[in-house]
Amino acid sequence: MKTEWRIFLIIAAFLLFATVLYGGWTAGETGRIEWVGTVGLLLSFLLCAMCGGFFWFVSRRIDLRPEDRSDAEIADGAGEIGFFSPGSYWPFGLALAASIAGFGLVFWQFWLLGAGLVAVIFAACGLLFEYYSGTRRTAEH
């Protein structure tokens, strides 16, 4: 996690510098700050700082991983990484439901927006609980 928080905080520092530079540059050229770009850069800085802070917080509480040690060998990272789903239709359903909700928002049709949001909640629950019920239920649960 040491590498991750450093990368995110370096990018956050660059974005903060770019925010100040962009705000000052637009204020100097036009006489007023261009707020859309300045706020966009500021929010990007905050997002990277939040991710970097989270990784820093986690890295203090876990042991060093092989990726974080300079003396580590490739074999140190061998073993089980985790569980990855072999295939699922729920992400497609979630994308379709989000598209329906998006169309409802774009065309200002509240009934379509409501139906899409209900479908998003249903699809998110289906994706979340996919391995806790039905034929794919695993033995550990």
Side-chain angles (χ1 to χ4, degrees):
M1 292 283 174
K2 190 165 111 177
T3 306
E4 288 89 346
W5 72 260
R6 285 183 178 170
I7 289 172
F8 272 103
L9 291 182
I10 288 170
I11 294 171
F14 168 76
L15 286 170
L16 182 62
F17 172 74
T19 302
V20 172
L21 181 69
Y22 184 79
W25 197 327
T26 58
E29 290 225 353
T30 63
R32 59 193 172 118
I33 295 176
E34 197 277 314
W35 287 107
V36 173
T38 306
V39 170
L41 284 168
L42 182 65
L43 290 175
S44 299
F45 156 72
L46 290 173
L47 180 64
C48 284
M50 182 180 66
C51 292
F54 171 76
F55 285 136
W56 173 75
F57 184 75
V58 169
S59 72
R60 291 183 14 208
R61 285 167 172 63
I62 64 172
D63 294 330
L64 283 178
R65 302 174 304 160
E67 296 88 358
D68 297 330
R69 295 189 347 242
S70 60
D71 64 337
E73 297 289 330
I74 293 175
D76 293 339
E80 185 175 330
I81 296 175
F83 174 74
F84 298 96
S85 177
S88 175
Y89 292 110
W90 285 111
F92 176 74
L94 188 60
L96 182 65
S99 298
I100 291 170
F103 278 125
L105 188 62
V106 166
F107 293 116
W108 213 241
Q109 298 294 319
F110 293 113
W111 65 272
L112 191 59
L113 178 62
L117 291 177
V118 167
V120 164
I121 292 170
F122 177 73
C125 289
L127 182 63
L128 180 65
F129 296 115
E130 180 176 16
Y131 291 99
Y132 293 102
S133 64
T135 59
R136 290 185 153 188
R137 184 174 185 175
T138 57
E140 298 95 41
H141 300 120

